[in-house]
Amino acid sequence: GAGVSQSPRYKVAKRGQDVALRCDPISGHVSLFWYQQALGQGPEFLTYFQNEAQLDKSGLPSDRFFAERPEGSVSTLKIQRTQQEDSAVYLCASSLDPTGNTIYFGEGSWLTVV
Amino acid sequence: DQQVKQNSPSLSVQEGRISILNCDYTNSMFDYFLWYKKYPAEGPTFLISISSIKDKNEDGRFTVFLNKSAKHLSLHIVPSQPGDSAVYFCAAPIGGYALNFGKGTSLLVTP
């Protein structure tokens, strides 16, 4: 498809389990973003890549969160030793440039930690 | 610390009437604002934006007003349609790329 694709769409993890969330950005988009949206909240910035370089990871909530984009295309957000407070929708977005009005969001990966 | 605030979690409007969604911000360095629309189980989609050098931007049925002295912006939808029922987020970029979102306002347009 032409849009940002995320997988899995839904993930239930037991507390303490590691999870990996995948994002396929729109082809040719150099910028890639991860956001976390908790229930009843707006999306919160996690991290930003320009090609394979992670330029900003200031929003990652703890060192259990790790993101990579090794070849400048597909990105993976990994959460180690998941906790209940990690339950949220994880949104990936991509853009040709970083300006807000050209950012395209995926449908999100819904993570529930039980 | 919430720098973009949407204080109304929900709004119900009759079809054909005007919907007004409000947003306040605290960071005077913000110079660009965006509104996103989000349907259930979908990602946010860009709706309309406004630069701080303007006080109004219009796109079809959607108009955004910016009052910098009050640090307030509003999104007007007129006439409202049932398909406008969605969650609307106000956002402002920090550092040129990281979007700071409000908590959203859920709009219901009733026939």
Side-chain angles (χ1 to χ4, degrees), chain A residues 5-68:
Chain A
S5 178
Q6 293 188 244
S7 61
R9 287 294 316 278
Y10 304 94
K11 174 71 179 177
V12 178
K14 290 186 177 178
R15 192 169 53 179
Q17 188 178 352
D18 296 350
V19 300
L21 308 176
R22 176 188 167 104
C23 173
D24 276 279
I26 294 172
S27 178
H29 280 195
V30 299
S31 297
L32 185 143
F33 310 82
W34 283 99
Y35 285 81
Q36 179 192 57
Q37 185 178 11
L39 192 63
Q41 305 294 316
E44 293 194 2
F45 171 79
L46 294 178
T47 187
Y48 164 54
F49 289 86
Q50 191 168 86
N51 296 306
E52 69 278 6
Q54 188 175 24
L55 299 186
D56 187 341
K57 56 181 181 178
S58 62
L60 295 176
S62 77
D63 58 8
R64 297 185 295 103
F65 286 71
F66 172 76
E68 59 182 6

Side-chain angles (χ1 to χ4, degrees), chain A residues 40-42, chain B residues 2-11 20-26 35 70-74 87-90 101-106:
Chain A
Q41 305 294 316
Chain B
Q2 198 84 20
Q3 298 187 62
V4 177
K5 301 178 182 180
Q6 294 177 258
N7 293 317
S8 298
S10 63
L11 175 68
I20 301 176
L21 297 96
N22 293 304
C23 177
D24 297 291
Y25 61 97
T26 59
W35 284 92
K71 295 194 180 71
H72 176 84
L73 59 157
S74 60
V87 178
Y88 290 79
F89 291 99
C90 174
F101 284 87
K103 291 186 178 184
T105 297
S106 179

Side-chain angles (χ1 to χ4, degrees), chain A residues 70-111:
Chain A
E71 297 177 0
S73 178
V74 170
S75 176
T76 304
L77 177 66
K78 297 179 179 177
I79 309 172
Q80 296 177 323
R81 306 181 303 282
T82 51
Q83 305 292 317
Q84 281 191 319
E85 61 263 27
D86 300 335
S87 296
V89 179
Y90 291 86
L91 293 163
C92 178
S94 71
S95 71
L96 278 171
D97 63 75
T99 59
N101 64 336
T102 61
I103 290 177
Y104 297 89
F105 282 85
E107 294 178 326
S109 288
W110 295 62
L111 173 65

Side-chain angles (χ1 to χ4, degrees), chain B residues 1-110:
Chain B
D1 183 31
Q2 198 84 20
Q3 298 187 62
V4 177
K5 301 178 182 180
Q6 294 177 258
N7 293 317
S8 298
S10 63
L11 175 68
S12 183
V13 170
Q14 265 193 321
E15 182 179 5
R17 308 291 283 263
I18 185 171
S19 296
I20 301 176
L21 297 96
N22 293 304
C23 177
D24 297 291
Y25 61 97
T26 59
N27 191 337
S28 57
M29 299 299 290
F30 287 151
D31 60 3
Y32 190 69
F33 302 90
L34 307 98
W35 284 92
Y36 280 82
K37 177 178 181 178
K38 186 180 183 304
Y39 291 118
E42 294 185 11
T45 55
F46 169 75
L47 187 59
I48 192 169
S49 63
I50 189 166
S51 165
S52 61
I53 62 173
K54 294 185 172 183
D55 55 16
K56 176 183 174 181
N57 189 26
E58 191 171 352
D59 184 2
R61 297 185 296 113
F62 302 91
T63 303
V64 56
F65 295 92
L66 175 61
N67 182 335
K68 284 183 291 184
S69 61
K71 295 194 180 71
H72 176 84
L73 59 157
S74 60
L75 174 68
H76 293 212
I77 308 172
V78 58
S80 302
Q81 299 173 354
D84 297 329
S85 298
V87 178
Y88 290 79
F89 291 99
C90 174
I94 290 181
Y97 54 83
L99 291 174
N100 218 292
F101 284 87
K103 291 186 178 184
T105 297
S106 179
L107 173 66
L108 177 65
V109 180
T110 57

